[in-house]
C-alpha cells in the first residue's frame, strides 16, 4: 500500500496481514505512518497504490461507513461516542431498532429492546454498569472505551482497529481494556492495535509490525523480541530492509 | 439553563407571586387566576412557542436559527396573499384557508432549505447564514406586502383565528357552548370566556408532535447525537448533512405556521409581526433548558420557558408596571436561568460540557 500527501510519502509500500484470533501491533514513532495506514484500511483515506483483501475478497471503500458495513470497526482515541446519550443509544447509534405502527408510517424507537441488547453485549465482555440509562458522560474513560468496544463487538466486527485505546486512561482502566482485547482475540476477532505504550503492546500483541518514515522496517513475533530491540527499530537504528 | 424541576417550580412560584401581589395592589378587585387570563396567556404564547419549537430542535442539534422572526412575517404575508387570491378565484373559504396554510409552510420550508443547504453543505456558520437570510427574507416580505398590511381578506377568516372550542358564559342566562361562538351582547358578552381558541389547539397539536418526534423517533435521537458530537454521528453513518438541512426546514416551517396563525388572528398579513418575537422565542428555549452548546434540552422545557415569559409579562401588566420593565425582567430571568443551571452543575459536580 502506498499513500502520498503531495510530495510526502506517508505510507511507502507497506504490506500487512492479519489473521483471526491474533493481535497485531502497529508500532512507530510519530509520523511513521501508522495512522495513515489504518485510515486507508478503514476507508477514511484512499490509498494511491495497493489493494485490500478482506476474507479473501478484494474490497474498496469510498467512505468509512462502507468499511463498517464489511465489519471493519475502528475505535478511535477520541472514542466517537455521543457523550450526551446513554449506553444503549450509543451502541445502536445510526442503527436504531424501531417498532413500526400503521404499516411503517410511524416508527418509534424501541429503547427497552436496545437497552436489553446492550446489556447482553456488555455482559458478553463481562462489563457491568450499575445504570445503563445515564448519559455516558457520567462514565469513566475506561468505561466509555468499553462501550465503544462493546458496540464494535455487538455489530459483529470482523476486524477491529484500535488507535491508542489505553491513552488517557488510569492504570486499572488500562488493565481492563487490555483484558478486553485479549478476550476479543480469544473469541477469534482479529485486532490491529496502535500504541506507543510498549508494555501494553507486549502484554497483548502476538505479532509486531514497526513502521519508520512510512516504511515497514520489521515484523516479528512478540515472543521473539523485546522492548529494547523494538525501540531500536522505532528510532531507525535497526532496519531489516537495509542491506547489512 | 434550568432543569425541568427548577423550571416548573419557578413557574409555580411566579404564578403564586402574581396572584398575591395583584390581590394586594388592586385591593382584591383583580384576580390573576381567571379563565380569561389563562386563555390570554395561552394565546400570547402560541407564536413564541411555534418559533421556539423548531428552534429547540435546531439548538439541540448545535445550531441556531436567527431567521425565524422574519420567516414568520414572510409567511403571514404569503398566507394573506394566498387566502385572498384563492377566495377571489372562487374557492370556498375553508379551501382558501388551507391554501394560506400551504403557502405559509411552503414559503417557510423553502427558506429553511436555503439555510440548511448553505450551513450543511457549504459549512458556513449557522449564525451568519441565518442572520443573512433574515435580512433577505425581511426584504422579500416587505416587497411582497408593499410595506403595508395585506388586507381585503374574506370576513370569515376571523373566526378561524379567533373562535374557540368552548364558550362559557357564567352567571344568569349563561351556559356552555361548543365549537361556535354564541350570538350574545352586553352583560352576557362580558361574562363570556373563550376556552381553547383554535390557534391554541393547533399549536398544542404541533407541540405534541414535536415531543413525540424528539423523544421517540430516530430523527430525535440523531438530533441529540449530532448536537452531542457531530464527529461521532458522522462516524456511525448518520447522514449528518441531510439531517441538519431538515432541522432548518422544520424550524422555518413551524415559523411559517406561526405566521399563518397570526394572519388568521388579525384577518390581515403583516410583514413586521414576527421580528419582535424572535428574541422572546430564543429566550423561551434557553429558559426551558436547551443547551446552546447542543445535545441537551426538551420540548416541554421550551413550553415552560414560553409560559414563564408570558406569565411574567401578563403579571407585570396587571400590576400596572410600566411596560418597559418587562424587558428588564425577562432579560434578568434568562441570565439567572443559565447561572442557576451552571451552579447546579458545580454543586452536583457534573462534568461541564465542552
Amino acid at each position: 500500500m502506498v499513500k502520498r500527501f503531495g510530495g510526502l510519502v506517508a505510507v511507502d509500500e507497506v504490506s500487512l496481514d492479519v489473521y483471526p484470533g491474533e493481535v497485531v501491533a502497529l508500532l512507530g514513532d510519530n509520523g511513521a505512518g501508522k495512522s495513515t495506514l489504518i485510515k486507508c484500511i478503514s476507508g477514511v483515506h484512499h490509498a494511491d497504490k495497493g489493494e485490500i483483501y478482506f476474507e479473501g475478497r478484494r474490497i474498496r471503500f469510498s467512505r468509512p461507513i462502507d468499511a463498517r458495513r464489511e465489519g471493519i470497526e475502528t475505535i478511535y482515541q477520541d472514542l466517537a461516542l455521543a457523550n450526551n446519550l446513554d449506553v444503549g443509544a450509543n451502541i445502536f447509534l445510526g442503527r436504531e431498532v424501531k417498532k413500526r405502527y400503521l404499516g411503517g408510517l410511524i416508527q418509534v424507537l424501541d429503547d427497552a429492546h436496545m437497552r436489553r441488547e446492550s446489556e447482553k453485549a456488555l455482559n458478553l465482555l463481562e462489563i457491568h454498569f450499575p445504570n445503563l440509562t445515564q448519559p455516558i458522560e457520567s462514565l469513566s474513560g475506561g468505561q466509555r472505551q468499553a462501550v465503544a468496544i462493546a458496540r464494535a463487538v455487538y455489530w459483529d466486527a470482523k476486524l477491529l482497529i484500535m488507535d491508542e485505546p489505553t491513552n488517557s486512561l488510569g492504570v486499572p482502566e488500562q488493565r481492563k481494556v487490555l483484558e478486553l482485547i485479549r478476550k476479543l482475540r480469544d473469541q477469534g476477532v482479529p485486532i490491529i492495535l496502535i500504541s506507543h505504550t510498549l508494555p501494553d503492546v507486549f502484554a497483548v500483541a502476538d505479532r509486531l509490525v514497526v513502521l519508520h518514515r512510512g516504511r515497514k522496517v520489521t515484523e516479528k513475533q512478540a515472543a521473539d523480541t523485546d522492548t529494547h530491540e523494538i525501540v531500536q527499530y522505532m528510532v531507525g537504528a535497526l532496519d531489516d530492509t537495509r542491506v547489512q | 439553563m434550568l432543569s425541568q424541576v427548577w423550571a416548573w417550580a419557578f413557574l409555580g412560584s411566579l404564578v403564586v407571586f402574581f396572584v398575591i401581589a395583584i390581590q394586594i395592589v388592586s385591593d382584591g378587585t383583580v384576580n390573576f387566576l381567571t379563565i380569561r387570563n389563562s386563555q390570554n396567556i395561552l394565546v400570547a404564547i402560541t407564536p413564541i412557542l411555534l418559533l421556539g419549537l423548531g428552534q429547540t430542535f435546531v439548538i439541540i442539534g448545535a445550531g441556531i436559527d436567527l431567521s425565524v422572526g422574519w420567516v414568520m412575517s414572510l409567511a403571514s404575508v404569503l398566507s394573506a396573499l394566498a387566502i385572498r387570491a384563492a377566495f377571489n378565484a372562487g374557492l370556498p373559504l375553508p379551501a382558501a384557508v388551507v391554501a394560506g396554510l400551504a403557502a405559509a409552510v411552503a414559503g417557510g420550508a423553502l427558506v429553511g432549505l436555503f439555510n440548511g443547504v448553505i450551513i450543511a453543505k457549504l459549512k458556513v456558520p449557522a449564525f451568519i447564514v441565518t442572520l443573512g437570510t433574515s435580512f433577505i427574507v425581511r426584504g422579500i416580505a416587505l416587497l411582497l406586502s408593499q410595506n403595508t398590511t395585506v388586507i381585503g381578506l374574506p370576513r370569515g377568516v376571523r373566526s378561524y383565528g379567533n373562535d374557540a372550542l368552548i364558550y362559557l358564559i357564567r352567571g344568569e342566562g349563561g351556559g356552555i357552548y361548543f365549537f361556535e361562538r354564541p350570538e350574545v351582547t352586553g352583560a352576557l358578552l362580558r361574562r363570556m370566556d373563550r376556552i381553547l381558541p383554535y390557534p391554541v389547539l393547533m399549536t398544542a397539536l404541533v407541540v405534541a408532535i414535536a415531543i413525540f418526534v424528539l423523544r421517540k423517533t430516530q430523527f430525535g435521537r440523531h438530533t441529540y447525537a449530532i448536537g452531542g458530537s457531530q464527529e461521532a454521528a458522522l462516524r456511525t453513518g448518520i447522514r449528518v448533512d441531510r439531517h441538519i438541512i431538515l432541522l432548518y426546514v422544520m424550524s422555518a416551517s413551524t415559523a411559517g405556521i406561526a405566521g399563518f396563525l397570526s394572519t388568521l388572528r388579525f384577518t390581515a398579513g403583516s410583514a413586521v409581526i414576527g421580528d419582535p418575537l424572535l428574541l422572546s422565542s430564543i429566550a423561551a428555549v434557553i429558559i426551558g433548558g436547551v443547551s446552546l452548546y447542543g445535545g441537551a434540552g426538551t420540548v416541554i422545557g421550551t413550553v415552560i420557558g414560553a409560559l414563564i415569559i408570558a406569565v411574567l409579562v401578563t403579571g407585570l401588566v396587571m400590576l400596572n408596571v410600566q411596560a418597559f420593565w418587562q424587558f428588564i425582567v425577562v432579560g434578568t430571568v434568562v441570565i439567572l436561568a443559565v447561572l442557576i443551571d451552571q451552579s447546579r452543575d458545580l454543586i452536583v459536580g457534573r462534568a461541564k460540557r465542552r
Side-chain angles (χ1 to χ4, degrees), chain B residues 96 118 159 167 171 296 309 348:
Chain B
I118 294 182
S159 61
Y167 291 91
I309 293 175
V348 183

Side-chain angles (χ1 to χ4, degrees), chain B residues 238-258:
Chain B
I238 295 172
R239 295 163 74 177
V240 174
D241 287 0
R242 196 189 61 161
H243 195 99
I244 289 175
I245 293 171
L246 279 174
L247 287 178
Y248 287 93
V249 169
M250 249 181 80
S251 168
S253 300
T254 55
I257 296 175

Side-chain angles (χ1 to χ4, degrees), chain A residues 76 84 96 98 109 111, chain B residues 216 218 221-222 224 235 295:
Chain A
Y76 296 91
N84 56 334
E96 286 82 359
K98 289 162 284 183
L109 290 175
D111 278 321
Chain B
K216 292 291 181 188
Q218 192 171 34
R221 177 64 45 83
H222 289 179
Y224 281 110
R235 288 184 187 170

